[in-house]
Amino acid sequence: MSHHKPDPNKNINLTIDGLPVTVPEGTRILEAARKVNCRIPTLCDHPDLGKRAVCRVCVVECDGRGKLAAACANDVAEGMKVVTHNARLTLIRKTIVELILADHPQECLTCIRSKKCELQSLAEQLGIRESAFRHEAQRSGQPVTESLTLTRDMGKCVKCGRCVEACQEVQNIRAINSSCRSIHYEISAPYGQSLTDGQCVFCGQCARVCPVGAIYEHDQSGAAWAALAGGGETAARIDPAIGAAFDEALGLPSGTVSAGKLVTALKRLGFGKVYDANFSASTAAAAICEELLRRIGQGRQPEKPQLPLITGCWGGLSKFVENCGGDLADCVYQWDSKAHGCENTVAISPCLAKKYNAPEMTLTVREIARMFTLAGIELSSLSESPFDEAAGKSGEAPKLADFHPAEGMDGVEKAQVSFMGSTLQLLTVHGLANARKMLDFIRKGECKAAFVEILCCPDNSGGCGSIGAYLPEILHKNG
């Protein structure tokens, strides 16, 4: 059976709710509708995942025949006539969502995703106040926290499969799976084991795509409040490029929250000092550089490989490399991001992955945003404040180097630096599926880089920054 490959240069003409629209061949009905501002509700669809057609909330009528099609999974066709909203479709969508709600805990006031839940928003959009199918469903277990990083509350799972695809297809980890069929269908870890005991490396991509409160970051905001009230000075350290994540978490226009406003807000919460993570990152880079030079001096040893030096700013790196084959364990150098100069430090990051095996309390943007809300702090109206200078650190941080896409390797960026008459290649890999391929290249001897940094986010959307960007200038000074 042959499959037609869409030609992006070919235009398709159709009408949606009577409005003419022209889009490239291969465009989904859902995407085409957005071109003419027709908003089709959906639950299982996610921009970073493939065609799903699981929830069926996005059904539309095509070609006047009353036939229903999932807008998220069906492409447009020449001359197609699509109806996205009418009384029949509204009733179908309401029935689908009511059925989901009938088996969903009604705990919105206490749910971690309240006001940020896609199911809650969908019910409000469809005007659902009470499900006609409501029954007192038995809770399928209590929330379970794994490795002080992820909390699973599978009683709230809507079985959309987003987390499974993110884990299996996007990250190629396969720590989460689907099992059984029909009413027994569920999302779980293979063989019913815990995430901690399985293949999970706590990259957090499953929580990022979950539309409800079925899987989310372990909330440490209570411990943070206790630390602030416990006497003594507590410091905060902010990851770079974190403002955009706060804009999204608080529903503010892009560019509203700046680093200076965050410093002001954190001090109002009670933090005595607020540090820029760039300083601790440059210190870590210096330590990594020292270790790299030591290994270069030893040369490459096939019987016990220590090059390239493999590092990353997330706690699951060692487990990931071990899961991929323990033969490269000696290449891993797990650097400690803990700030110095204050006994109690709270790290604030857009990345859930930094919670796992963290040497200090680590809060995600969503956790600290809830603290701001509880304290009545509105970031958009705050003035700017400078970062505090960390003990033992002065002057400017090293200039960051530009990494460029590596030809022939997906998700890989590279930089080159001259060092003592030779050229060292430095690589940064985005996403664990790409990282797994890179480890295979290293294992086969096809990677000649001296340094490989693995960032667990496929697109580095969290803006955590790269340690590798500091290395060229440090190496240049040492060379």
Side-chain angles (χ1 to χ4, degrees):
M1 181 177 177
S2 62
H3 295 277
H4 172 68
K5 186 177 181 180
D7 181 1
N9 296 315
K10 179 181 178 181
N11 286 332
I12 299 294
N13 300 292
L14 68 155
T15 60
I16 299 178
D17 292 340
L19 300 172
V21 58
T22 301
V23 292
E25 186 178 32
T27 301
R28 297 180 298 159
I29 296 173
L30 186 66
E31 296 165 339
R34 289 170 180 160
K35 294 278 188 181
V36 288
N37 294 319
C38 292
R39 302 300 173 185
I40 302 173
T42 183
L43 183 62
C44 68
D45 183 65
H46 192 278
D48 295 336
L49 303 177
K51 298 177 180 179
R52 309 210 48 74
V54 174
C55 71
R56 317 301 289 190
V57 173
C58 68
V59 290
V60 295
E61 293 181 355
C62 294
D63 298 331
R65 294 175 298 182
K67 181 180 178 181
L68 299 177
C72 71
N74 286 276
D75 292 347
V76 298
E78 184 65 32
M80 177 183 283
K81 297 178 180 179
V82 178
V83 175
T84 68
H85 291 84
N86 59 26
R88 176 185 182 226
L89 291 171
T90 298
L91 179 60
I92 290 171
R93 289 166 183 161
K94 288 186 69 172
T95 302
I96 290 172
V97 174
E98 285 175 345
L99 285 167
I100 294 173
L101 289 170
D103 198 38
H104 194 78
Q106 304 296 290
E107 303 170 350
C108 293
L109 289 177
T110 58
C111 180
I112 198 80
R113 292 295 300 273
S114 184
K115 302 298 183 182
K116 297 290 183 181
C117 170
E118 293 182 38
L119 179 60
Q120 187 182 49
S121 299
L122 191 56
E124 182 178 2
Q125 180 183 345
L126 293 171
I128 299 173
R129 297 291 177 265
E130 183 178 354
S131 173
F133 307 99
R134 183 67 197 152
H135 67 278
E136 293 301 321
Q138 293 293 320
R139 231 189 181 289
S140 56
Q142 295 299 312
V144 176
T145 297
E146 308 250 19
S147 299
L148 298 178
T149 304
L150 277 174
T151 297
R152 290 193 292 165
D153 189 352
M154 302 315 292
K156 295 177 181 175
C157 179
V158 293
K159 303 176 178 60
C160 67
R162 283 187 185 180
C163 60
V164 176
E165 183 172 346
C167 184
Q168 294 196 6
E169 304 301 327
V170 177
Q171 295 289 67
N172 199 11
I173 296 297
R174 303 185 180 279
I176 302 176
N177 207 342
S178 59
S179 59
C180 303
R181 305 180 72 175
S182 186
I183 62 172
H184 302 294
Y185 178 84
E186 65 177 1
I187 306 297
S188 63
Y191 309 109
Q193 62 190 348
S194 67
L195 294 179
T196 304
D197 295 333
Q199 295 292 305
C200 181
V201 294
F202 296 95
C203 67
Q205 294 302 299
C206 55
R208 187 176 74 87
V209 300
C210 179
V212 291
I215 187 163
Y216 53 91
E217 69 275 6
H218 168 55
D219 190 0
Q220 292 179 286
S221 59
W225 282 120
L228 292 172
E233 186 177 81
T234 300
R237 189 182 72 250
I238 305 176
D239 270 357
I242 203 172
F246 271 99
D247 288 336
E248 181 180 354
L250 296 170
L252 298 172
S254 178
T256 300
V257 179
S258 63
K261 290 183 177 182
L262 285 174
V263 173
T264 303
L266 289 167
K267 291 198 171 182
R268 286 196 182 183
L269 278 181
F271 288 97
K273 302 285 186 181
V274 180
Y275 301 122
D276 184 354
N278 278 322
F279 284 106
S280 59
S282 62
T283 301
I288 289 173
C289 184
E290 183 178 343
E291 175 66 16
L292 177 60
L293 294 178
R294 184 188 70 80
R295 296 188 181 200
I296 290 174
Q298 291 183 341
R300 295 182 184 267
Q301 306 172 51
E303 68 281 358
K304 190 178 181 181
Q306 291 189 311
L307 285 174
L309 186 150
I310 301 173
T311 190
C313 61
W314 51 291
L317 174 64
S318 295
K319 185 178 181 182
F320 170 71
V321 175
E322 181 181 347
N323 289 348
C324 293
D327 54 324
L328 297 178
D330 289 332
C331 291
V332 177
Y333 181 77
Q334 191 82 59
W335 55 276
D336 186 351
S337 62
K338 190 170 184 179
H340 301 285
C342 183
E343 182 178 353
N344 298 315
T345 304
V346 176
I348 300 171
S349 171
C351 184
L352 185 155
K354 291 193 176 182
K355 278 180 168 287
Y356 182 57
N357 282 344
E360 63 212 342
M361 186 188 305
T362 302
L363 302 181
T364 63
V365 166
R366 290 199 294 197
E367 290 169 87
I368 202 73
R370 289 193 289 270
M371 293 179 72
F372 289 152
T373 301
L374 186 59
I377 297 173
E378 295 187 11
L379 274 74
S380 59
S381 62
L382 296 181
S383 59
E384 306 265 343
S385 297
F387 284 107
D388 291 288
E389 188 174 288
K393 299 181 178 70
S394 60
E396 296 183 358
K399 181 181 178 182
L400 299 181
D402 291 327
F403 275 62
H404 303 283
E407 187 176 348
M409 291 187 284
D410 293 334
V412 180
E413 296 177 320
K414 69 176 181 179
Q416 292 183 333
V417 56
S418 298
F419 179 76
M420 298 187 69
S422 61
T423 300
L424 298 181
Q425 189 178 75
L426 315 176
L427 301 179
T428 294
V429 186
H430 297 274
L432 300 186
N434 295 323
R436 187 181 291 271
K437 294 177 184 177
M438 178 57 64
L439 294 182
D440 287 339
F441 289 146
I442 295 172
R443 192 173 288 112
K444 295 174 183 177
E446 297 175 5
C447 174
K448 301 303 180 183
F451 169 87
V452 174
E453 180 179 29
I454 296 175
L455 302 179
C456 61
C457 296
D459 58 359
N460 198 30
S461 57
C464 296
S466 167
I467 288 294
Y470 294 91
L471 289 184
E473 184 176 352
I474 298 174
L475 284 168
H476 179 73
K477 290 180 178 179
N478 279 272

